[in-house]
Amino acid sequence: MQYCYFDSPIGNLLLAGCNNRLRILGFPKGSLSYEPQQDWQYNSQYFTGWITQLNEYFAGKRQIFDLPYEVKGTEFQKRVLNCVAKVPYATTSTYGDIAKEINQPKAARAVGMANAKNSLPIIIPCHRIIGKNGNMTGFGGGIEVKQFLLQLESR
């Protein structure tokens, strides 16, 4: 696995991947933070395209990421995250909406748990998923990061 750090407006993000695919985007703190494993190799050149696209996103010039990535998880988690990946820029959806979209309307909590295991936040925009009453719910990078990302997209 290759990795590097990307200095973003929300802190140093860990990028990790292999086989020409991004597999992890880790926040500096929170439940979606990661540390490089001993057998990982530092290689910033490996992520040049991703760094360019992330810079464009944070500058408000990119709404869709179009480089290869790999979704990890169970089949259910992958279905949820593939659905979350389709939530348009600068819009929000709810856990219940995603549950309905995957034809499991009573699975809103399970959708929330799958969202919490998203190893590619921002790329798969789990920050766009909110509670049914419009509340900001848990987020692996912290609620303040979720709010920042939603405000960035609303400009």
Side-chain angles (χ1 to χ4, degrees):
M1 183 96 81
Q2 309 290 313
Y3 80 97
C4 77
Y5 289 97
F6 168 69
D7 187 22
S8 80
I10 55 175
N12 261 346
L13 304 177
L14 174 73
L15 305 179
C18 61
N19 301 323
N20 294 317
R21 297 187 182 288
L22 185 67
R23 296 184 70 193
I24 294 172
L25 186 152
F27 288 123
K29 60 182 180 176
S31 64
L32 290 177
S33 66
Y34 294 88
E35 292 292 324
Q37 303 297 307
Q38 278 190 328
D39 60 339
W40 293 9
Q41 296 177 341
Y42 185 87
N43 182 352
S44 60
Q45 298 293 64
Y46 189 85
F47 300 97
T48 302
W50 279 107
I51 290 169
T52 297
Q53 289 197 8
L54 285 164
N55 275 320
E56 292 168 352
Y57 171 80
F58 283 112
K61 297 177 181 173
R62 175 170 290 277
Q63 297 182 4
I64 297 171
F65 296 96
D66 59 8
L67 292 170
Y69 60 82
E70 184 177 329
V71 178
K72 297 188 309 185
T74 65
E75 286 308 310
F76 176 81
Q77 290 167 341
K78 289 177 184 180
R79 284 182 35 227
V80 167
L81 295 176
N82 286 328
C83 189
V84 169
K86 296 175 186 168
V87 175
Y89 184 88
T91 64
T92 58
S93 188
T94 68
Y95 299 102
D97 292 338
I98 300 296
K100 288 176 194 163
E101 187 73 27
I102 63 167
N103 296 316
Q104 291 194 251
K106 295 182 181 188
R109 282 185 192 222
V111 165
M113 296 303 291
N115 220 30
K117 297 196 183 290
N118 179 8
S119 64
L120 292 166
I122 302 173
I123 308 305
I124 298 176
C126 54
H127 59 279
R128 297 178 191 155
I129 312 303
I130 59 174
K132 70 178 175 183
N133 57 5
N135 285 345
M136 296 292 132
T137 54
F139 185 64
I143 294 296
E144 63 282 348
V145 171
K146 184 172 189 160
Q147 290 171 326
F148 175 89
L149 295 171
L150 290 172
Q151 288 172 354
L152 170 78
E153 292 184 8
S154 69
R155 290 188 210 156

